Amino acid sequence: MGGEFSLRLGGGCLKRLGESWKRREKNLNDAISKSKVGRYFKLEARKSCFTGEVRAGVATFFTMAYIITVNATILSDSGGNCSISDCTGKQNPECKFQSNEGYQKCLSNITSDLIAATALSAMVGSFAMGLLANLPLGLAPAMGINAYFAYNLVGFHGSGPLSYQTALAVILLEGCIFLAIAALGLRSKLARLIPRSIRLASAAGIGLFIAFTGLQAHQGVGLVGPSSSTLVTLTACAKTNPVTGECVGGTMQSPTFWLGAVGFLIISYGLMKEIKGSMSYGILFVTFISWIRGTSVTYFPYTPLGDSNYKYFKKIINFHKIKSTAGALSFSEFNRSEVWVALVTLLYVDLLSVTGTLYSLAELGGFIDENGSFEGEYVAYMVDASSTIVGSALGTSTVATYVESSAGIREGGRTGLTAVIVGIFFFLSLFFAPLFSSVPPWAVGPSLVMVGVLMMGVAKDIKWANVKEGVPAFVTMLLMPVTYSISYGIIAGIGLHMALNLHDYMMSLIRWFMKMKRMVDGDQNQVSAAAVADPTAEVHV
């Protein structure tokens, strides 16, 4: 009896505690919604609340946090502004590609600069998107474009056609051009030329793209990997080839994969029970477990790299000033054709992928109106372009709206307050970079897969029975993950849409010519009739 009474008493206390917390949360949300902050962000108008926006911001940031170190790692492979003169000993071109102490020290400083530049540019972009456009979208240096910048333009350790300084100047010019296009209102008009079926398919395709990313090893749980025979295959291996990434042995025996699977189940059960913040709980659970050393799932194994990461992690608080990448711009090589080829490439990729991402996220959040536009659209494009200018000035590649913002939208983010929360976290990451940069990929991967699941919902609005809509939409969705490019999917979808509608375009053109011919013939008949009625009258044609 005593145990049963205690159990009931404890249960009653917990119930009252939960009700008390809900009342306090409601009072807080009501107070903020009616305040100047609430009215500015239109919390009531968009049927949102303060705590919901905070949870959305946390979810978005944690799915974006990987970019802090990933972007810095990719861009530092270009060598930054390190040169032969930084090498110790004999200074020759080969020293950049060897384990030269001086050059490696310069690369280490560049990486630290780029970590700070990534966080700072993401903070500025996210703050601007939230405060000016009032949209729940986080911004950061874009994946894909950073790889093109590092490996195609500058090349590994400066072996490419352009210098790091020139490539940054190209990024700056691209941002200025996009700012001008956005200011003239042309970017939104160009975006609306994309058929609605392609826009819907882009949202679903981006979901597949994100999920595919979350299944890979570098940014996810490592369930799939490369294969020499089938290109992609099931992995989750205990051991992989460090060069090719192929499975060496132990398929489905990766401890980190199974830990990530547990995180995915936590997120799934949380969403099933409509527990707010489920995305964040899954990420935090896996991250905390992975921070324990001496386990098979640790992010800090007893290896030189693991020891280095753990040494950096233990600093917890570490503020690094940008010393060499900020302002590292040079226009001296703009007389070369490679510069203009790079500029054109960046322009069309940015136009298609970023514009497609913005529209897809707006579609996901239910912001699109019957005219195909959304509130804050004009300012959003301005912010997106301006953030690229800021990023290039700090030393990083194109800054863009992140598809991971869909995690926050799914958590209930509906206003710019979500983006402001993301900006605050990126600001904190400037001081707590060791913590935020130590979130393992197998902690982020499950949330990316879940975002893919949730983003597929828009596919139901595509008219699949109509071949003219269904086929281009399917190709758009398919090519985004398999080509690892959002822009390629959109290009293919638009191209196929135009090809399938070519007959309709031709018939419309023929009808227009026939209409014009009838009008011309009618005018000529009127002139002839007037001449017959009055032969002496002068006819002016």
Side-chain angles (χ1 to χ4, degrees), residues 276-482:
K276 296 176 179 178
S278 301
M279 292 278 193
S280 303
Y281 298 149
I283 295 171
L284 290 173
F285 172 80
V286 176
T287 299
F288 290 151
I289 296 296
S290 302
W291 282 349
I292 302 173
R293 298 201 81 179
T295 67
S296 58
V297 296
T298 183
Y299 188 59
F300 309 112
Y302 290 106
T303 62
L305 179 60
D307 291 339
S308 175
N309 288 339
Y310 188 65
K311 183 179 179 182
Y312 180 63
F313 169 75
K314 288 194 298 183
K315 291 181 179 180
I316 300 178
I317 299 176
N318 180 51
F319 181 77
H320 178 84
K321 293 182 179 179
I322 303 176
K323 301 174 183 177
S324 57
T325 62
L329 299 159
S330 174
F331 294 89
S332 60
E333 297 181 14
F334 266 54
N335 57 344
R336 299 175 55 188
S337 60
E338 292 91 340
V339 170
W340 302 104
V341 171
L343 178 62
V344 171
T345 302
L346 288 168
L347 281 170
Y348 93 81
V349 169
D350 204 6
L351 175 65
L352 291 172
S353 63
V354 175
T355 303
T357 299
L358 263 174
Y359 258 83
S360 298
L361 292 172
E363 191 85 47
L364 181 68
F367 305 137
I368 302 289
D369 60 23
E370 61 275 5
N371 297 319
S373 60
F374 56 92
E375 187 179 356
E377 178 183 11
Y378 178 79
V379 178
Y381 287 127
M382 297 277 284
V383 168
D384 188 86
S386 301
S387 299
T388 292
I389 296 173
V390 172
S392 64
L394 293 172
T396 186
S397 54
T398 304
V399 177
T401 303
Y402 254 58
V403 291
E404 283 82 353
S405 301
S406 54
I409 292 174
R410 283 299 182 184
E411 281 288 350
R414 291 294 179 272
T415 75
L417 195 54
T418 293
V420 170
I421 298 299
V422 174
I424 290 172
F425 271 96
F426 273 116
F427 171 72
L428 293 175
S429 69
L430 290 169
F431 303 92
F432 295 92
L435 291 180
F436 289 124
S437 63
S438 298
V439 177
W442 54 87
V444 176
S447 64
L448 297 182
V449 175
M450 183 55 69
V451 166
V453 172
L454 298 173
M455 289 189 72
M456 288 301 295
V458 297
K460 72 180 187 300
D461 296 323
I462 298 172
K463 298 176 182 177
W464 293 106
N466 184 342
V467 174
K468 292 180 182 179
E469 287 197 15
V471 173
F474 178 75
V475 170
T476 300
M477 293 167 56
L478 177 66
L479 289 185
M480 284 187 182
V482 299

Side-chain angles (χ1 to χ4, degrees), residues 42 109 131 179 245 259 306 309 353 385 392 411 454 483:
K42 302 180 180 178
N109 292 330
L131 293 172
L179 182 61
L259 178 60
N309 288 339
S353 63
S392 64
E411 281 288 350
L454 298 173
T483 63

Side-chain angles (χ1 to χ4, degrees), residues 448-519:
L448 297 182
V449 175
M450 183 55 69
V451 166
V453 172
L454 298 173
M455 289 189 72
M456 288 301 295
V458 297
K460 72 180 187 300
D461 296 323
I462 298 172
K463 298 176 182 177
W464 293 106
N466 184 342
V467 174
K468 292 180 182 179
E469 287 197 15
V471 173
F474 178 75
V475 170
T476 300
M477 293 167 56
L478 177 66
L479 289 185
M480 284 187 182
V482 299
T483 63
Y484 216 71
S485 170
I486 294 171
S487 57
Y488 288 162
I490 297 174
I491 290 171
I494 293 175
L496 195 52
H497 176 87
M498 293 175 66
L500 293 179
N501 285 274
L502 186 61
H503 175 266
D504 294 340
Y505 297 148
M506 293 299 295
M507 292 303 296
S508 297
L509 186 61
I510 291 171
R511 284 193 293 269
W512 182 80
F513 275 120
M514 293 297 291
K515 182 180 178 181
M516 293 300 296
K517 186 176 183 302
R518 284 194 298 270
M519 291 175 61

Side-chain angles (χ1 to χ4, degrees), residues 1 21 27 41 88 92 101 111 134 168 170 220 251 260 371 382 403 450 484:
M1 285 293 291
W21 169 253
N27 292 335
F41 288 107
T88 53
N92 57 62
E101 183 180 351
T111 303
N134 196 21
L168 282 180
V170 172
T251 304
N371 297 319
M382 297 277 284
V403 291
M450 183 55 69
Y484 216 71

